[in-house]
Amino acid sequence: MKKLPYGISDFKRIRRDDMYYVDKTMYLQKLEDENSYLLMIRPRRFGKSLFLSMMEAYYDVNMKERFQELFGELYAGKNPTPLANQFQVMRLDFSRTGGSLNELENQFRSYCSERLNAFIRTYSRFYDDWIVNRVLTTENAETKLNIIVDEANRLEYRLYLIIDEYDNFTNDVLASHGHETFEKLTRAEGFYRRFFKLFKGAFERILMLGISPVTLDDLTSGYNIDWNISNSPKFNAMLGFEEKDVREMLQYYKEKASIPGDIEEIIGDMKPWYDNYCFAEECYGHETLYNCDLALYYIDPLIKTGKPPKTMIDKNIMIDYSKLQMLVDLDRGIRRKERIADIEQIANSGYVEMRLKTSFPAMSLLEEENFLSLVYYYGLLSIGGVDRGLLRMIIPNETVRQQYWHFMVNLYSKIYPMAIKPLEKEYQAMVYDGEWLPIIEKIGNAFTEASSIRDSIGGEHNVQGFFKAWLGVCDFSVLCPELELNYGYSDFVMMPLRHHDPQAKHCYIIELKYVNSEASDSEAAKKLAEARAQIEKYASDRRLLRAIEGCTLHGISVLFRGHRMDPPQLIIEKKV
């Protein structure tokens, strides 16, 4: 049985050790059909590093004798392109550079120098000894590169440059050291820009992968690149897993490892959490993608233990999405409040309509369209359609939705002095014991206390957002806002993760109503009657009842008069 390469991005190791590999080599010919200098932007954990490792092995002239071993069973092995094994390949990973403010340039130059030394050693058989020694003994990285390029051109060797995380270095600089330092790196005399200017003249072909277009725009005059393939339908599925890939993987391990359960049921469990990314407008509706790492995170314990992971989200992914906080924190002025409002609006509604910007300078990062575009490039939004000429960007899945909830909870914890203490016991009681009142009262009372000193946060929109955030971060269930039930849309449905823990047996429909503080009792009673009718309607939805069979369903109405909550009411409680 092939091992699952969870956490491994070394193509040669995967092939040598006969690990499971989702074939992406059919994209090599498509890349060759494009221009010589290409850029692809994708979120983290979408298989970028593995793809580049595969490319490095495919084009490397030193790998010619191993071509059949590495690629024979794959699409490119059966359909080799004219450029296979024709290049000396240099691969750079700028996530390995960084350091304190005073060390930035030295660290960057040192890393480039090390990689150039590794390059000349790797291809030393192609060069005279005196050239190899000259490169190795020269201290200046730019000089090393010029020596290699001049000799390669003289001998008519072909050079391919692959850059992973091309934007990591400058994005970290932007976050840690601010705009002024970033400007110094990318303006005409900046060392980062000088290197990129050398790269374009030195290599026959270049492919750069990263997570944002910020750096590129700042480098335009030094590195004029116009071939961004990030939103091309031709390359929508080049990175990430299509559903057919996931099905084939599950079928393989069902046969080899006897993983339990029906494949359709497993797909049904994975899909809402890991699928629904789309990067090309033309592909929406018929080609969406799974996050690679998260799909493997789920399948790995299924193979080893016969059970899915205890939690649907790999906790390491929280590190990736903390970048959202970093982006918001770049500006401490009025734009910061505007960007927080953007995030809050997305978290509450689940979508935003916008124009996607393909590149923008760092100095204009916090302009609304640029900021929202960057949120998309970070994987926190996905293309979900077109409406009146604007892209409708949606929260792609429950994993990403959780990141918004955590962002909002962190925000509320900072701006409200009486931030709610950890609620793990209350969440457990709600999901496992059906004791829902303590958690509802704590959230409602916290909102009331916060609103009493922050009058501006009153209103139905803010009540909804506050409840969504605190209910959404419960690890024992999944919060489904605006779920369609019986031709209507519920405010909140909380579904226990029963596939992971059969003891979680309580499901909730919560309808939240709001009247202003001066509203009469009859107005409040009308709202409560509306909530009751809605809960009774939603509670008879057949799809919901099938999904929660064996659980107890609770229907609860919550009414706010201004920022004060009336006692919550239990409308329905029934065993399904």
Side-chain angles (χ1 to χ4, degrees):
M1 184 181 72
K2 296 178 185 292
K3 292 182 179 179
L4 196 73
Y6 180 44
I8 298 173
S9 57
D10 184 338
F11 175 77
K12 286 184 283 188
R13 177 184 170 189
I14 288 172
R15 300 300 290 163
R16 180 198 67 199
D17 295 346
D18 195 28
M19 297 182 184
Y20 194 98
Y21 177 69
V22 175
D23 192 358
K24 294 288 184 177
T25 62
M26 66 288 295
Y27 286 95
L28 295 170
Q29 181 63 66
K30 295 180 181 181
L31 289 170
E32 289 182 19
D33 292 340
E34 297 293 317
N35 290 293
S36 298
Y37 307 111
L38 300 174
L39 167 73
M40 167 70 85
I41 298 169
R42 284 293 181 269
R44 296 193 188 281
R45 302 175 181 270
F46 259 79
K48 295 190 293 294
S49 295
L50 177 56
F51 188 88
L52 293 185
S53 178
M54 178 272 290
M55 282 188 65
E56 183 179 14
Y58 183 81
Y59 289 110
D60 188 353
V61 65
N62 281 343
M63 291 290 108
K64 187 175 292 187
E65 300 302 317
R66 295 184 61 189
F67 184 83
Q68 199 60 31
E69 170 198 345
L70 295 173
F71 294 94
E73 298 175 359
L74 304 177
Y75 179 90
K78 299 170 184 176
N79 305 275
T81 69
L83 299 183
N85 301 126
Q86 295 297 306
F87 291 86
Q88 296 173 14
V89 182
M90 179 179 293
R91 183 177 172 190
L92 302 175
D93 180 354
F94 287 158
S95 69
R96 299 185 181 183
T97 63
S100 67
L101 184 59
N102 296 327
E103 298 172 336
L104 287 175
E105 182 169 355
N106 287 338
Q107 288 284 346
F108 183 78
R109 290 181 181 279
S110 176
Y111 172 75
C112 290
S113 182
E114 289 171 6
R115 296 309 303 153
L116 289 163
N117 286 346
F119 176 89
I120 201 66
R121 290 190 184 103
T122 299
Y123 298 105
S124 60
R125 67 186 179 92
F126 294 93
Y127 297 91
D128 290 336
D129 289 345
W130 72 272
I131 289 288
V132 175
N133 291 331
R134 188 180 170 198
V135 171
L136 294 176
T137 56
T138 298
E139 292 185 4
N140 185 276
E142 290 103 318
T143 303
K144 287 179 186 285
L145 179 60
N146 286 328
I147 293 169
I148 292 171
V149 171
D150 289 345
E151 188 67 4
N153 287 340
R154 186 182 73 80
L155 297 171
E156 297 186 349
Y157 296 148
R158 308 178 79 172
L159 303 181
Y160 205 132
L161 175 63
I162 294 172
I163 304 180
D164 196 4
E165 304 275 3
Y166 87 94
D167 53 340
N168 181 277
F169 178 69
T170 46
N171 285 344
D172 283 350
V173 169
L174 192 62
S176 303
H177 305 299
H179 287 87
E180 185 176 343
T181 302
F182 182 88
E183 259 197 297
K184 290 179 181 177
L185 296 179
T186 56
R187 66 190 184 191
E189 68 274 20
F191 66 88
Y192 197 67
R193 174 173 283 191
R194 287 202 304 273
F195 264 89
F196 272 79
K197 187 174 182 179
L198 289 172
F199 288 156
K200 185 168 183 226
F203 295 89
E204 180 180 334
R205 299 186 72 88
I206 298 175
L207 177 65
M208 302 194 305
L209 267 67
I211 62 169
S212 78
V214 174
T215 303
L216 184 66
D217 203 71
D218 286 289
L219 295 171
T220 296
S221 61
Y223 188 81
N224 189 16
I225 184 169
D226 300 315
W227 305 288
N228 187 338
I229 59 173
S230 305
N231 303 117
S232 167
K234 188 176 177 180
F235 298 100
N236 183 61
M238 188 176 91
L239 301 171
F241 291 160
E242 296 178 75
E243 188 162 304
K244 67 179 180 62
D245 298 326
V246 178
R247 288 181 184 276
E248 289 172 6
M249 195 184 313
L250 289 170
Q251 185 62 46
Y252 173 83
Y253 285 109
K254 187 166 185 64
E255 294 172 1
K256 297 289 185 179
S258 301
I259 58 174
D262 180 71
I263 288 179
E264 291 303 316
E265 290 180 0
I266 298 172
I267 289 286
D269 197 32
M270 295 175 67
K271 191 177 181 67
W273 290 85
Y274 311 140
D275 188 24
N276 208 34
Y277 294 94
C278 180
F279 303 103
E281 179 183 327
E282 298 86 344
C283 294
Y284 178 74
H286 58 86
E287 185 179 78
T288 59
L289 300 164
Y290 284 71
N291 178 300
C292 295
D293 276 20
L294 287 176
L296 297 180
Y297 162 80
Y298 182 99
I299 296 172
D300 187 54
L302 202 60
I303 297 168
K304 294 175 178 176
T305 68
K307 297 179 180 180
K310 290 184 179 180
T311 60
M312 292 298 289
I313 303 178
D314 180 355
K315 295 301 181 183
N316 291 324
I317 206 167
M318 291 295 189
I319 300 171
D320 297 338
Y321 291 101
S322 66
K323 297 278 186 179
L324 182 60
Q325 185 67 55
M326 175 272 288
L327 293 174
V328 169
D329 288 342
L330 283 176
D331 192 322
R332 301 290 179 179
I334 189 169
R335 280 188 172 175
R336 184 176 188 274
K337 296 179 180 179
E338 293 172 352
R339 299 299 73 86
I340 288 174
D342 287 334
I343 298 302
E344 194 172 13
Q345 189 262 320
I346 295 169
N348 287 331
S349 65
Y351 74 93
V352 65
E353 292 181 345
M354 55 178 278
R355 289 183 174 86
L356 181 63
K357 302 292 285 293
T358 57
S359 69
F360 40 86
M363 297 307 293
S364 61
L365 173 63
L366 292 171
E367 293 175 7
E368 185 172 32
E369 285 188 351
N370 294 345
F371 176 79
L372 292 174
S373 295
L374 201 56
V375 172
Y376 155 78
Y377 287 118
Y378 272 57
L380 291 161
L381 289 171
S382 180
I383 295 174
V386 182
D387 186 18
R388 299 172 65 86
L390 296 177
L391 282 174
R392 184 181 177 90
M393 294 293 195
I394 60 172
I395 297 176
N397 51 49
E398 294 303 323
T399 295
V400 177
R401 196 182 303 277
Q402 283 281 319
Q403 315 316 311
Y404 282 96
W405 297 151
H406 280 278
F407 176 85
M408 295 308 299
V409 163
N410 289 335
L411 176 67
Y412 292 141
S413 297
K414 291 175 182 177
I415 65 175
Y416 300 157
M418 64 299 300
I420 304 176
K421 294 179 180 179
L423 299 171
E424 186 169 357
K425 290 183 179 179
E426 287 81 2
Y427 289 138
Q428 286 177 316
M430 186 180 197
V431 176
Y432 291 97
D433 304 320
E435 298 176 5
W436 53 270
L437 188 58
I439 188 78
I440 298 297
E441 286 185 335
K442 283 199 172 184
I443 297 173
N445 291 339
F447 182 84
T448 298
E449 290 181 43
S451 301
S452 66
I453 61 169
R454 290 178 61 90
D455 294 336
S456 62
I457 72 167
E460 184 172 11
H461 167 78
N462 294 304
V463 174
Q464 290 268 2
F466 199 84
F467 266 79
K468 282 179 182 178
W470 287 105
L471 293 176
V473 297
C474 173
D475 287 334
F476 310 107
S477 66
V478 56
L479 180 69
C480 306
E482 302 295 328
L483 186 66
E484 185 178 2
L485 299 172
N486 266 353
Y487 306 102
Y489 292 90
S490 61
D491 285 341
F492 313 112
V493 174
M494 291 188 69
M495 303 275 284
L497 296 171
R498 297 178 63 217
H499 192 59
H500 302 260
D501 189 349
Q503 290 184 306
K505 292 186 175 181
H506 293 271
C507 176
Y508 295 88
I509 299 173
I510 302 173
E511 284 300 306
L512 198 154
K513 298 299 178 184
Y514 178 89
V515 294
N516 63 48
S517 56
E518 291 80 26
S520 65
D521 288 344
S522 62
E523 288 177 294
K526 185 177 179 181
K527 286 287 186 180
L528 287 172
E530 183 181 314
R532 175 181 290 275
Q534 289 173 325
I535 289 171
E536 290 173 347
K537 175 183 175 181
Y538 301 149
S540 62
D541 183 89
R542 293 181 180 179
R543 292 171 303 164
L544 175 65
L545 296 177
R546 282 197 301 269
I548 64 170
E549 187 175 356
C551 291
T552 298
L553 176 62
H554 309 261
I556 301 162
S557 68
V558 179
L559 175 70
F560 271 82
R561 301 177 190 242
H563 59 258
R564 297 190 178 278
M565 182 178 71
D566 279 4
Q569 296 186 14
L570 179 65
I571 307 299
I572 287 176
E573 183 175 276
K574 64 179 181 179
K575 184 73 176 291
V576 178

